[in-house]
Short mmCIF file of all heavy atoms in Angstrom, two decimals:
data_model
loop_
_atom_site.label_atom_id
_atom_site.label_comp_id
_atom_site.label_asym_id
_atom_site.label_seq_id
_atom_site.Cartn_x
_atom_site.Cartn_y
_atom_site.Cartn_z
N MET W 190 -81.91 -2.82 -36.09
CA MET W 190 -81.73 -3.11 -37.50
C MET W 190 -83.05 -3.48 -38.17
O MET W 190 -83.18 -3.27 -39.36
CB MET W 190 -80.72 -4.24 -37.68
CG MET W 190 -79.28 -3.88 -37.36
SD MET W 190 -78.60 -2.56 -38.34
CE MET W 190 -78.48 -3.30 -39.92
N ALA W 191 -83.98 -4.03 -37.43
CA ALA W 191 -85.23 -4.48 -38.03
C ALA W 191 -85.99 -3.34 -38.71
O ALA W 191 -86.46 -3.52 -39.85
CB ALA W 191 -86.10 -5.18 -37.01
N PRO W 192 -86.11 -2.16 -38.09
CA PRO W 192 -86.83 -1.09 -38.77
C PRO W 192 -86.17 -0.68 -40.09
O PRO W 192 -86.85 -0.40 -41.08
CB PRO W 192 -86.82 0.06 -37.78
CG PRO W 192 -86.68 -0.59 -36.45
CD PRO W 192 -85.80 -1.79 -36.70
N LEU W 193 -84.84 -0.67 -40.10
CA LEU W 193 -84.13 -0.33 -41.33
C LEU W 193 -84.38 -1.38 -42.40
O LEU W 193 -84.63 -1.05 -43.57
CB LEU W 193 -82.63 -0.19 -41.04
CG LEU W 193 -81.76 0.13 -42.25
CD1 LEU W 193 -82.19 1.46 -42.88
CD2 LEU W 193 -80.30 0.18 -41.85
N TRP W 194 -84.34 -2.65 -42.02
CA TRP W 194 -84.59 -3.72 -42.98
C TRP W 194 -86.00 -3.62 -43.54
O TRP W 194 -86.21 -3.76 -44.74
CB TRP W 194 -84.38 -5.09 -42.32
CG TRP W 194 -84.55 -6.21 -43.29
CD1 TRP W 194 -83.57 -6.75 -44.08
CD2 TRP W 194 -85.76 -6.90 -43.61
NE1 TRP W 194 -84.11 -7.75 -44.86
CE2 TRP W 194 -85.45 -7.86 -44.59
CE3 TRP W 194 -87.06 -6.82 -43.16
CZ2 TRP W 194 -86.41 -8.71 -45.13
CZ3 TRP W 194 -88.01 -7.67 -43.70
CH2 TRP W 194 -87.68 -8.60 -44.67
N LEU W 195 -86.98 -3.35 -42.67
CA LEU W 195 -88.37 -3.23 -43.12
C LEU W 195 -88.55 -2.06 -44.08
O LEU W 195 -89.27 -2.17 -45.07
CB LEU W 195 -89.31 -3.08 -41.93
CG LEU W 195 -89.51 -4.32 -41.08
CD1 LEU W 195 -90.30 -3.99 -39.82
CD2 LEU W 195 -90.20 -5.41 -41.89
N MET W 196 -87.89 -0.95 -43.81
CA MET W 196 -87.98 0.20 -44.70
C MET W 196 -87.36 -0.13 -46.05
O MET W 196 -87.94 0.17 -47.10
CB MET W 196 -87.28 1.42 -44.07
CG MET W 196 -87.54 2.74 -44.79
SD MET W 196 -86.56 3.09 -46.27
CE MET W 196 -84.89 2.96 -45.70
N CYS W 197 -86.21 -0.77 -46.05
CA CYS W 197 -85.55 -1.15 -47.31
C CYS W 197 -86.40 -2.16 -48.08
O CYS W 197 -86.51 -2.06 -49.30
CB CYS W 197 -84.17 -1.73 -47.04
SG CYS W 197 -82.98 -0.50 -46.49
N ARG W 198 -86.99 -3.09 -47.39
CA ARG W 198 -87.84 -4.09 -48.05
C ARG W 198 -89.07 -3.44 -48.65
O ARG W 198 -89.48 -3.76 -49.77
CB ARG W 198 -88.24 -5.18 -47.05
CG ARG W 198 -89.03 -6.31 -47.63
CD ARG W 198 -88.21 -7.09 -48.61
NE ARG W 198 -88.97 -8.21 -49.12
CZ ARG W 198 -88.43 -9.27 -49.66
NH1 ARG W 198 -87.14 -9.37 -49.78
NH2 ARG W 198 -89.19 -10.23 -50.11
N SER W 199 -89.66 -2.51 -47.93
CA SER W 199 -90.83 -1.80 -48.42
C SER W 199 -90.47 -0.99 -49.66
O SER W 199 -91.22 -0.97 -50.65
CB SER W 199 -91.37 -0.87 -47.33
OG SER W 199 -92.44 -0.10 -47.81
N TRP W 200 -89.33 -0.33 -49.63
CA TRP W 200 -88.88 0.45 -50.79
C TRP W 200 -88.61 -0.47 -51.97
O TRP W 200 -88.99 -0.18 -53.10
CB TRP W 200 -87.64 1.25 -50.43
CG TRP W 200 -87.13 2.05 -51.59
CD1 TRP W 200 -86.01 1.81 -52.32
CD2 TRP W 200 -87.75 3.19 -52.20
NE1 TRP W 200 -85.89 2.73 -53.33
CE2 TRP W 200 -86.95 3.59 -53.27
CE3 TRP W 200 -88.91 3.90 -51.92
CZ2 TRP W 200 -87.27 4.68 -54.07
CZ3 TRP W 200 -89.23 4.98 -52.72
CH2 TRP W 200 -88.42 5.36 -53.78
N ALA W 201 -87.97 -1.60 -51.74
CA ALA W 201 -87.68 -2.55 -52.82
C ALA W 201 -88.98 -3.08 -53.43
O ALA W 201 -89.08 -3.23 -54.65
CB ALA W 201 -86.83 -3.70 -52.30
N ARG W 202 -89.99 -3.34 -52.61
CA ARG W 202 -91.29 -3.79 -53.11
C ARG W 202 -91.92 -2.71 -53.99
O ARG W 202 -92.46 -3.00 -55.05
CB ARG W 202 -92.21 -4.14 -51.95
CG ARG W 202 -93.54 -4.70 -52.42
CD ARG W 202 -94.52 -4.87 -51.27
NE ARG W 202 -94.03 -5.77 -50.24
CZ ARG W 202 -94.23 -5.57 -48.96
NH1 ARG W 202 -94.88 -4.53 -48.52
NH2 ARG W 202 -93.78 -6.44 -48.08
N TYR W 203 -91.82 -1.46 -53.55
CA TYR W 203 -92.34 -0.34 -54.33
C TYR W 203 -91.63 -0.26 -55.68
O TYR W 203 -92.28 -0.13 -56.73
CB TYR W 203 -92.17 0.97 -53.56
CG TYR W 203 -92.47 2.19 -54.38
CD1 TYR W 203 -93.79 2.58 -54.59
CD2 TYR W 203 -91.46 2.94 -54.95
CE1 TYR W 203 -94.09 3.69 -55.36
CE2 TYR W 203 -91.74 4.05 -55.72
CZ TYR W 203 -93.06 4.42 -55.92
OH TYR W 203 -93.33 5.52 -56.70
N VAL W 204 -90.32 -0.35 -55.68
CA VAL W 204 -89.55 -0.27 -56.92
C VAL W 204 -89.91 -1.42 -57.85
O VAL W 204 -90.11 -1.23 -59.05
CB VAL W 204 -88.03 -0.24 -56.63
CG1 VAL W 204 -87.22 -0.41 -57.90
CG2 VAL W 204 -87.66 1.06 -55.92
N GLU W 205 -90.02 -2.62 -57.31
CA GLU W 205 -90.39 -3.78 -58.13
C GLU W 205 -91.75 -3.58 -58.77
O GLU W 205 -91.95 -3.88 -59.94
CB GLU W 205 -90.38 -5.06 -57.28
CG GLU W 205 -90.69 -6.31 -58.06
CD GLU W 205 -89.70 -6.60 -59.18
OE1 GLU W 205 -88.51 -6.29 -59.04
OE2 GLU W 205 -90.13 -7.13 -60.22
N THR W 206 -92.68 -3.05 -58.03
CA THR W 206 -94.02 -2.80 -58.57
C THR W 206 -93.97 -1.75 -59.67
O THR W 206 -94.60 -1.90 -60.72
CB THR W 206 -94.97 -2.34 -57.45
OG1 THR W 206 -94.99 -3.33 -56.43
CG2 THR W 206 -96.37 -2.14 -57.96
N GLN W 207 -93.19 -0.70 -59.47
CA GLN W 207 -93.10 0.39 -60.44
C GLN W 207 -92.41 -0.02 -61.73
O GLN W 207 -92.58 0.62 -62.77
CB GLN W 207 -92.38 1.60 -59.82
CG GLN W 207 -93.13 2.22 -58.66
CD GLN W 207 -94.54 2.64 -59.02
OE1 GLN W 207 -94.76 3.38 -59.97
NE2 GLN W 207 -95.51 2.17 -58.25
N ARG W 208 -91.65 -1.10 -61.69
CA ARG W 208 -90.99 -1.61 -62.90
C ARG W 208 -92.00 -2.16 -63.91
O ARG W 208 -91.68 -2.36 -65.08
CB ARG W 208 -90.00 -2.72 -62.54
CG ARG W 208 -88.78 -2.21 -61.81
CD ARG W 208 -87.79 -3.33 -61.47
NE ARG W 208 -87.35 -3.99 -62.68
CZ ARG W 208 -87.38 -5.32 -62.88
NH1 ARG W 208 -87.83 -6.10 -61.93
NH2 ARG W 208 -86.94 -5.83 -63.99
N HIS W 209 -93.21 -2.40 -63.47
CA HIS W 209 -94.28 -2.95 -64.31
C HIS W 209 -95.42 -1.94 -64.32
O HIS W 209 -96.25 -1.92 -63.40
CB HIS W 209 -94.74 -4.31 -63.75
CG HIS W 209 -93.61 -5.27 -63.60
ND1 HIS W 209 -93.19 -6.08 -64.62
CD2 HIS W 209 -92.79 -5.52 -62.54
CE1 HIS W 209 -92.17 -6.80 -64.20
NE2 HIS W 209 -91.90 -6.48 -62.95
N PRO W 210 -95.46 -1.08 -65.36
CA PRO W 210 -96.42 0.04 -65.37
C PRO W 210 -97.88 -0.36 -65.17
O PRO W 210 -98.61 0.31 -64.44
CB PRO W 210 -96.20 0.69 -66.74
CG PRO W 210 -94.79 0.32 -67.10
CD PRO W 210 -94.57 -1.04 -66.52
N ALA W 211 -98.31 -1.44 -65.78
CA ALA W 211 -99.72 -1.85 -65.63
C ALA W 211 -100.01 -2.24 -64.18
O ALA W 211 -101.06 -1.90 -63.64
CB ALA W 211 -100.05 -2.99 -66.58
N THR W 212 -99.08 -2.94 -63.57
CA THR W 212 -99.25 -3.33 -62.17
C THR W 212 -99.23 -2.11 -61.26
O THR W 212 -100.04 -2.01 -60.34
CB THR W 212 -98.14 -4.32 -61.76
OG1 THR W 212 -98.18 -5.44 -62.63
CG2 THR W 212 -98.31 -4.79 -60.33
N ALA W 213 -98.33 -1.17 -61.55
CA ALA W 213 -98.26 0.05 -60.75
C ALA W 213 -99.55 0.85 -60.85
O ALA W 213 -100.06 1.36 -59.84
CB ALA W 213 -97.08 0.90 -61.21
N ARG W 214 -100.12 0.94 -62.05
CA ARG W 214 -101.38 1.66 -62.23
C ARG W 214 -102.51 0.96 -61.47
O ARG W 214 -103.32 1.61 -60.82
CB ARG W 214 -101.74 1.77 -63.71
CG ARG W 214 -100.99 2.85 -64.44
CD ARG W 214 -101.55 3.09 -65.83
NE ARG W 214 -101.55 1.90 -66.68
CZ ARG W 214 -100.51 1.51 -67.42
NH1 ARG W 214 -99.40 2.20 -67.43
NH2 ARG W 214 -100.60 0.41 -68.15
N ARG W 215 -102.56 -0.36 -61.55
CA ARG W 215 -103.61 -1.11 -60.87
C ARG W 215 -103.48 -0.94 -59.35
O ARG W 215 -104.48 -0.73 -58.66
CB ARG W 215 -103.53 -2.60 -61.26
CG ARG W 215 -104.57 -3.45 -60.61
CD ARG W 215 -105.96 -3.09 -61.07
NE ARG W 215 -106.95 -3.94 -60.42
CZ ARG W 215 -108.20 -3.62 -60.26
NH1 ARG W 215 -108.66 -2.49 -60.74
NH2 ARG W 215 -109.03 -4.43 -59.64
N LEU W 216 -102.26 -1.01 -58.85
CA LEU W 216 -102.04 -0.85 -57.42
C LEU W 216 -102.47 0.55 -56.97
O LEU W 216 -103.14 0.69 -55.94
CB LEU W 216 -100.57 -1.10 -57.07
CG LEU W 216 -100.20 -1.03 -55.60
CD1 LEU W 216 -101.00 -2.03 -54.77
CD2 LEU W 216 -98.71 -1.26 -55.42
N ALA W 217 -102.12 1.56 -57.72
CA ALA W 217 -102.52 2.93 -57.37
C ALA W 217 -104.04 3.06 -57.37
O ALA W 217 -104.62 3.71 -56.48
CB ALA W 217 -101.89 3.93 -58.35
N HIS W 218 -104.69 2.45 -58.35
CA HIS W 218 -106.15 2.49 -58.41
C HIS W 218 -106.77 1.81 -57.18
O HIS W 218 -107.68 2.34 -56.56
CB HIS W 218 -106.63 1.81 -59.70
CG HIS W 218 -108.11 1.67 -59.78
ND1 HIS W 218 -108.94 2.74 -60.03
CD2 HIS W 218 -108.92 0.60 -59.63
CE1 HIS W 218 -110.20 2.32 -60.03
NE2 HIS W 218 -110.20 1.01 -59.79
N LEU W 219 -106.24 0.64 -56.83
CA LEU W 219 -106.76 -0.09 -55.68
C LEU W 219 -106.54 0.68 -54.38
O LEU W 219 -107.43 0.75 -53.53
CB LEU W 219 -106.10 -1.47 -55.59
CG LEU W 219 -106.44 -2.44 -56.71
CD1 LEU W 219 -105.46 -3.61 -56.70
CD2 LEU W 219 -107.87 -2.92 -56.61
N GLU W 220 -105.36 1.27 -54.23
CA GLU W 220 -105.09 2.05 -53.03
C GLU W 220 -106.01 3.26 -52.96
O GLU W 220 -106.46 3.64 -51.87
CB GLU W 220 -103.62 2.48 -53.01
CG GLU W 220 -102.68 1.32 -52.76
CD GLU W 220 -101.22 1.65 -52.94
OE1 GLU W 220 -100.89 2.64 -53.63
OE2 GLU W 220 -100.39 0.91 -52.41
N GLY W 221 -106.31 3.86 -54.11
CA GLY W 221 -107.25 4.97 -54.15
C GLY W 221 -108.64 4.55 -53.72
O GLY W 221 -109.34 5.29 -53.02
N MET W 222 -109.04 3.35 -54.15
CA MET W 222 -110.35 2.82 -53.74
C MET W 222 -110.42 2.67 -52.22
O MET W 222 -111.42 3.03 -51.60
CB MET W 222 -110.61 1.46 -54.39
CG MET W 222 -110.92 1.52 -55.87
SD MET W 222 -111.08 -0.13 -56.60
CE MET W 222 -112.43 -0.83 -55.68
N VAL W 223 -109.36 2.13 -51.63
CA VAL W 223 -109.33 1.92 -50.19
C VAL W 223 -109.34 3.28 -49.47
O VAL W 223 -110.09 3.47 -48.51
CB VAL W 223 -108.10 1.08 -49.77
CG1 VAL W 223 -107.95 1.04 -48.26
CG2 VAL W 223 -108.20 -0.33 -50.34
N ASP W 224 -108.53 4.21 -49.95
CA ASP W 224 -108.48 5.54 -49.33
C ASP W 224 -109.84 6.24 -49.38
O ASP W 224 -110.21 6.96 -48.45
CB ASP W 224 -107.44 6.42 -50.01
CG ASP W 224 -106.02 6.00 -49.68
OD1 ASP W 224 -105.82 5.25 -48.71
OD2 ASP W 224 -105.10 6.43 -50.41
N ALA W 225 -110.56 6.04 -50.48
CA ALA W 225 -111.86 6.69 -50.64
C ALA W 225 -112.98 5.97 -49.91
O ALA W 225 -114.09 6.48 -49.84
CB ALA W 225 -112.20 6.79 -52.13
N GLY W 226 -112.70 4.79 -49.39
CA GLY W 226 -113.73 4.04 -48.68
C GLY W 226 -114.76 3.44 -49.62
O GLY W 226 -115.94 3.39 -49.31
N ALA W 227 -114.30 2.97 -50.78
CA ALA W 227 -115.20 2.36 -51.76
C ALA W 227 -115.95 1.18 -51.15
O ALA W 227 -115.44 0.54 -50.21
CB ALA W 227 -114.41 1.91 -52.98
N PRO W 228 -117.13 0.87 -51.67
CA PRO W 228 -117.92 -0.24 -51.11
C PRO W 228 -117.23 -1.60 -51.17
O PRO W 228 -117.45 -2.44 -50.32
CB PRO W 228 -119.18 -0.25 -51.97
CG PRO W 228 -119.20 1.01 -52.72
CD PRO W 228 -117.81 1.56 -52.74
N ASP W 229 -116.37 -1.81 -52.17
CA ASP W 229 -115.73 -3.11 -52.36
C ASP W 229 -114.29 -3.09 -51.82
O ASP W 229 -113.38 -3.59 -52.45
CB ASP W 229 -115.75 -3.48 -53.84
CG ASP W 229 -115.56 -4.97 -54.06
OD1 ASP W 229 -115.63 -5.72 -53.08
OD2 ASP W 229 -115.32 -5.36 -55.21
N THR W 230 -114.11 -2.52 -50.64
CA THR W 230 -112.77 -2.36 -50.07
C THR W 230 -112.10 -3.69 -49.79
O THR W 230 -110.90 -3.84 -50.01
CB THR W 230 -112.85 -1.53 -48.78
OG1 THR W 230 -113.47 -0.28 -49.08
CG2 THR W 230 -111.49 -1.26 -48.21
N ARG W 231 -112.85 -4.68 -49.35
CA ARG W 231 -112.23 -5.99 -49.03
C ARG W 231 -111.58 -6.61 -50.26
O ARG W 231 -110.48 -7.15 -50.17
CB ARG W 231 -113.26 -6.94 -48.45
CG ARG W 231 -113.58 -6.66 -47.03
CD ARG W 231 -114.44 -7.75 -46.45
NE ARG W 231 -114.67 -7.47 -45.05
CZ ARG W 231 -115.41 -8.20 -44.29
NH1 ARG W 231 -116.02 -9.26 -44.77
NH2 ARG W 231 -115.57 -7.89 -43.03
N ALA W 232 -112.25 -6.55 -51.38
CA ALA W 232 -111.68 -7.09 -52.62
C ALA W 232 -110.43 -6.33 -53.01
O ALA W 232 -109.44 -6.92 -53.45
CB ALA W 232 -112.71 -7.07 -53.74
N ALA W 233 -110.46 -5.01 -52.86
CA ALA W 233 -109.30 -4.18 -53.20
C ALA W 233 -108.12 -4.53 -52.29
O ALA W 233 -106.99 -4.67 -52.76
CB ALA W 233 -109.65 -2.70 -53.09
N ILE W 234 -108.37 -4.69 -51.00
CA ILE W 234 -107.31 -5.03 -50.06
C ILE W 234 -106.73 -6.40 -50.39
O ILE W 234 -105.51 -6.60 -50.33
CB ILE W 234 -107.82 -4.96 -48.61
CG1 ILE W 234 -108.11 -3.51 -48.24
CG2 ILE W 234 -106.83 -5.59 -47.63
CD1 ILE W 234 -108.82 -3.33 -46.92
N SER W 235 -107.56 -7.34 -50.77
CA SER W 235 -107.09 -8.67 -51.15
C SER W 235 -106.19 -8.61 -52.37
O SER W 235 -105.15 -9.28 -52.43
CB SER W 235 -108.27 -9.60 -51.43
OG SER W 235 -108.98 -9.86 -50.26
N GLU W 236 -106.58 -7.80 -53.34
CA GLU W 236 -105.75 -7.69 -54.54
C GLU W 236 -104.45 -6.95 -54.25
O GLU W 236 -103.40 -7.30 -54.79
CB GLU W 236 -106.51 -7.01 -55.67
CG GLU W 236 -105.79 -7.14 -56.99
CD GLU W 236 -106.59 -6.69 -58.20
OE1 GLU W 236 -107.81 -6.49 -58.08
OE2 GLU W 236 -105.97 -6.54 -59.27
N ILE W 237 -104.50 -5.95 -53.38
CA ILE W 237 -103.26 -5.26 -52.98
C ILE W 237 -102.31 -6.27 -52.33
O ILE W 237 -101.12 -6.30 -52.63
CB ILE W 237 -103.57 -4.09 -52.02
CG1 ILE W 237 -104.25 -2.95 -52.77
CG2 ILE W 237 -102.29 -3.60 -51.33
CD1 ILE W 237 -104.83 -1.88 -51.87
N ALA W 238 -102.84 -7.11 -51.46
CA ALA W 238 -102.01 -8.12 -50.79
C ALA W 238 -101.42 -9.09 -51.80
O ALA W 238 -100.26 -9.50 -51.67
CB ALA W 238 -102.83 -8.87 -49.75
N ARG W 239 -102.21 -9.45 -52.81
CA ARG W 239 -101.70 -10.36 -53.85
C ARG W 239 -100.56 -9.71 -54.63
O ARG W 239 -99.54 -10.34 -54.89
CB ARG W 239 -102.83 -10.75 -54.80
CG ARG W 239 -102.42 -11.78 -55.84
CD ARG W 239 -103.50 -12.00 -56.88
NE ARG W 239 -103.89 -10.80 -57.60
CZ ARG W 239 -103.16 -10.22 -58.57
NH1 ARG W 239 -101.99 -10.72 -58.92
NH2 ARG W 239 -103.59 -9.14 -59.18
N ILE W 240 -100.72 -8.44 -54.97
CA ILE W 240 -99.67 -7.73 -55.71
C ILE W 240 -98.41 -7.61 -54.85
O ILE W 240 -97.29 -7.83 -55.34
CB ILE W 240 -100.16 -6.34 -56.16
CG1 ILE W 240 -101.23 -6.50 -57.24
CG2 ILE W 240 -99.01 -5.48 -56.66
CD1 ILE W 240 -101.97 -5.21 -57.60
N GLN W 241 -98.57 -7.32 -53.57
CA GLN W 241 -97.41 -7.22 -52.69
C GLN W 241 -96.72 -8.57 -52.52
O GLN W 241 -95.48 -8.64 -52.49
CB GLN W 241 -97.82 -6.65 -51.33
CG GLN W 241 -98.19 -5.19 -51.41
CD GLN W 241 -98.67 -4.64 -50.09
OE1 GLN W 241 -99.12 -5.38 -49.21
NE2 GLN W 241 -98.58 -3.34 -49.94
N ALA W 242 -97.48 -9.63 -52.44
CA ALA W 242 -96.90 -10.97 -52.33
C ALA W 242 -96.13 -11.32 -53.60
O ALA W 242 -95.04 -11.91 -53.54
CB ALA W 242 -97.98 -12.01 -52.07
N TRP W 243 -96.67 -10.93 -54.75
CA TRP W 243 -95.97 -11.16 -56.02
C TRP W 243 -94.65 -10.41 -56.03
O TRP W 243 -93.61 -10.97 -56.41
CB TRP W 243 -96.85 -10.72 -57.19
CG TRP W 243 -96.08 -10.57 -58.45
CD1 TRP W 243 -95.74 -11.57 -59.32
CD2 TRP W 243 -95.53 -9.38 -58.98
NE1 TRP W 243 -95.00 -11.06 -60.34
CE2 TRP W 243 -94.85 -9.71 -60.15
CE3 TRP W 243 -95.53 -8.05 -58.57
CZ2 TRP W 243 -94.18 -8.76 -60.92
CZ3 TRP W 243 -94.87 -7.11 -59.31
CH2 TRP W 243 -94.21 -7.46 -60.48
N ALA W 244 -94.66 -9.12 -55.60
CA ALA W 244 -93.44 -8.31 -55.58
C ALA W 244 -92.43 -8.92 -54.63
O ALA W 244 -91.22 -8.99 -54.94
CB ALA W 244 -93.76 -6.88 -55.19
N ASP W 245 -92.88 -9.40 -53.46
CA ASP W 245 -91.98 -10.05 -52.52
C ASP W 245 -91.35 -11.30 -53.14
O ASP W 245 -90.14 -11.55 -52.97
CB ASP W 245 -92.70 -10.43 -51.23
CG ASP W 245 -92.89 -9.25 -50.30
OD1 ASP W 245 -92.11 -8.28 -50.38
OD2 ASP W 245 -93.83 -9.31 -49.48
N ALA W 246 -92.14 -12.08 -53.84
CA ALA W 246 -91.63 -13.29 -54.48
C ALA W 246 -90.59 -12.93 -55.54
O ALA W 246 -89.56 -13.62 -55.68
CB ALA W 246 -92.76 -14.09 -55.11
N GLU W 247 -90.84 -11.86 -56.28
CA GLU W 247 -89.86 -11.41 -57.29
C GLU W 247 -88.55 -11.00 -56.63
O GLU W 247 -87.48 -11.26 -57.17
CB GLU W 247 -90.42 -10.23 -58.09
CG GLU W 247 -91.54 -10.61 -59.04
CD GLU W 247 -91.08 -11.51 -60.16
OE1 GLU W 247 -90.08 -11.19 -60.81
OE2 GLU W 247 -91.74 -12.56 -60.38
N LEU W 248 -88.64 -10.36 -55.49
CA LEU W 248 -87.43 -9.92 -54.78
C LEU W 248 -86.65 -11.10 -54.22
O LEU W 248 -85.43 -11.05 -54.12
CB LEU W 248 -87.81 -8.97 -53.63
CG LEU W 248 -88.36 -7.62 -54.07
CD1 LEU W 248 -88.89 -6.88 -52.85
CD2 LEU W 248 -87.34 -6.80 -54.81
N ASP W 249 -87.35 -12.17 -53.85
CA ASP W 249 -86.70 -13.32 -53.26
C ASP W 249 -86.05 -14.24 -54.27
O ASP W 249 -85.27 -15.12 -53.90
CB ASP W 249 -87.69 -14.12 -52.40
CG ASP W 249 -88.11 -13.35 -51.16
OD1 ASP W 249 -87.34 -12.46 -50.72
OD2 ASP W 249 -89.18 -13.63 -50.62
N ASP W 250 -86.36 -14.05 -55.55
CA ASP W 250 -85.74 -14.91 -56.59
C ASP W 250 -84.28 -14.62 -56.79
O ASP W 250 -83.72 -13.68 -56.57
CB ASP W 250 -86.48 -14.75 -57.92
CG ASP W 250 -87.78 -15.54 -57.94
OD1 ASP W 250 -87.94 -16.41 -57.07
OD2 ASP W 250 -88.60 -15.26 -58.80
#
C-alpha cells in the first residue's frame, strides 16, 4: 500500500501546486534550472523543497 499512497500524495502535491499559477511557473523554472545543471542548483533545490513543504502543509489542513 505504501507505493500507492506515495504516488497519490505526489499527485496531490502536484495538483495543489498547479492550483497556484505563479507557484507552478516558479517550480517549473526551478526544476528546469536543476535539469540544466545551472550553477546555483543548491538554491534551486532548496526552494523546490520549500514549495513542496508548503504544498504538503496545504494538503494536511
Side-chain angles (χ1 to χ4, degrees):
M190 289 300 291
L193 179 60
W194 184 88
L195 289 172
M196 191 279 304
C197 289
R198 184 65 177 201
S199 176
W200 179 252
R202 183 188 301 142
Y203 171 80
V204 170
E205 182 61 34
T206 303
Q207 296 304 306
R208 290 181 59 231
H209 305 273
T212 303
R214 281 191 302 274
R215 180 65 180 156
L216 183 59
H218 174 74
L219 293 166
E220 290 171 339
M222 287 175 60
V223 172
D224 288 344
D229 200 11
T230 303
R231 283 188 177 178
I234 291 171
S235 293
E236 192 170 347
I237 289 169
R239 185 187 58 76
I240 291 170
Q241 290 177 338
W243 164 83
D245 281 336
E247 289 294 310
L248 292 171
D249 291 336
D250 281 344

